[in-house]
């Protein structure tokens, strides 16, 4: 059966805009539910997403997706990683820049795990984008750590890019392409 509607549960407007853009032209309309759900303290994005899917299942009729992402900084042993949300609320972009002061290695990656419940089953789609942390915040687009992250091979931060440009190379864009492939291969997309 063709998938006409996919529910996205997120309070994050930026994620919503990126997901809408990536799935444009697929014929699937995104219905957003703007609500929080419990995010457990765990070592992996997959565990956080898995818990969220199970928690939400009884409340959401039909197929739905959630997104959990994080910024993993090499010189900080992968911090903030699964603690990205807490780190952003507390130390923010300036705090990450301070932690990296004097460090030669500014390499980092963004990772996304998209979780979907479709026909009662759970599916996970992953995406990663390598890059580095800029010296100063730049740009006004996007959200979260976008002003301090420069993807590999580029000279602009994510916050200096349009939604489409970011989706072409980002962790979330990659996870969404994998989701789209899954839907095409399972005959739920034309
Ligand atoms: P969440 O738990 O997936 O909502 O995200 C953890 C933290 O990482 C939040 O502070 C987000 O703002 C931030 N974040 C998630 N995805 C991105 C992104 O694509 N760009 C910049 N920051 C992000």
């Amino acid at each position: 059966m063709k998938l006409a509607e996919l529910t996205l549960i997120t309070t994050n407007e930026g994620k919503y805009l990126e997901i809408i853009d990536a799935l444009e032209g697929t014929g699937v309309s995104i219905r957003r539910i703007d609500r929080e759900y419990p995010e457990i303290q765990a070592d992996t994005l997959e565990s956080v997403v898995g818990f969220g899917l199970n928690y939400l299942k009884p409340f959401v009729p039909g197929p739905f997706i959630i997104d959990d992402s994080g910024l993993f900084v090499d010189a900080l042993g992968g911090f903030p990683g699964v603690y990205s949300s807490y780190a952003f609320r507390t130390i923010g972009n300036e705090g990450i820049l301070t932690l990296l002061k004097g460090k030669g290695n500014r390499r980092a990656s963004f990772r996304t795990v998209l979780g979907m419940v479709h026909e009662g089953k759970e599916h996970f789609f992953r995406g990663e984008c390598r890059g580095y942390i800029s010296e100063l915040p730049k740009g006004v687009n996007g959200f979260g750590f976008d002003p301090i992250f420069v993807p590999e091979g580029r000279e602009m931060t994510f916050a200096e890019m349009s939604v489409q440009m970011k989706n072409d190379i980002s962790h979330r864009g990659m996870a969404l392409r994998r989701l789209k492939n899954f839907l095409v291969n399972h005959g739920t997309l034309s």
Side-chain angles (χ1 to χ4, degrees):
M1 208 176 65
K2 296 267 178 267
L3 186 79
E5 191 179 74
L6 189 56
T7 300
L8 163 70
I9 298 116
T10 185
T11 56
N12 185 318
E13 179 76 11
K15 286 185 186 179
Y16 171 64
L17 294 175
E18 289 174 22
I19 291 168
I20 290 275
D21 175 79
L23 297 180
E24 209 182 294
T26 59
V28 178
S29 73
I30 298 293
R31 178 175 81 104
R32 178 182 175 194
I33 300 181
D34 183 356
R35 63 157 286 179
E36 308 250 359
Y37 52 86
E39 285 196 20
I40 54 160
Q41 204 72 79
D43 287 349
T44 63
L45 296 176
E46 281 81 357
S47 313
V48 179
V49 170
F51 186 90
L53 289 180
N54 276 309
Y55 176 87
L56 289 163
K57 247 186 210 172
F59 302 110
V60 189
F64 69 92
I65 52 173
I66 57 175
D67 166 313
D68 198 50
S69 303
L71 174 68
F72 296 75
V73 180
D74 293 7
L76 304 178
F79 180 83
V82 290
Y83 308 107
S84 290
S85 169
Y86 179 74
F88 186 75
R89 273 185 281 117
T90 51
I91 62 172
N93 286 329
E94 289 300 335
I96 300 290
L97 295 181
T98 304
L99 289 173
L100 283 181
K101 264 207 181 106
K103 298 233 193 280
N105 177 9
R106 304 183 72 87
R107 293 180 61 75
S109 52
F110 259 123
R111 287 184 212 146
T112 285
V113 175
L114 267 183
M116 173 171 71
V117 170
H118 180 246
E119 295 174 343
K121 287 199 198 110
E122 287 171 19
H123 304 273
F124 296 85
F125 307 94
R126 296 169 184 83
E128 179 166 16
C129 179
R130 293 287 297 162
Y132 63 91
I133 304 298
S134 58
E135 296 286 342
L136 292 169
K138 272 195 283 175
V140 294
N141 301 334
F143 62 97
F145 300 107
D146 279 347
I148 60 165
F149 186 83
V150 179
E152 208 153 61
R154 310 288 161 127
E155 281 171 12
M156 291 157 98
T157 67
F158 272 156
E160 294 177 287
M161 299 181 184
S162 64
V163 166
Q164 217 167 5
M165 275 171 84
K166 181 180 169 189
N167 263 344
D168 281 347
I169 50 177
S170 77
H171 46 303
R172 184 165 300 104
M174 181 190 280
L176 285 161
R177 279 190 292 281
R178 290 179 167 162
L179 164 68
K180 256 182 9 188
N181 284 343
F182 172 91
L183 295 174
V184 169
N185 292 334
H186 287 74
T188 48
L189 275 189
S190 40

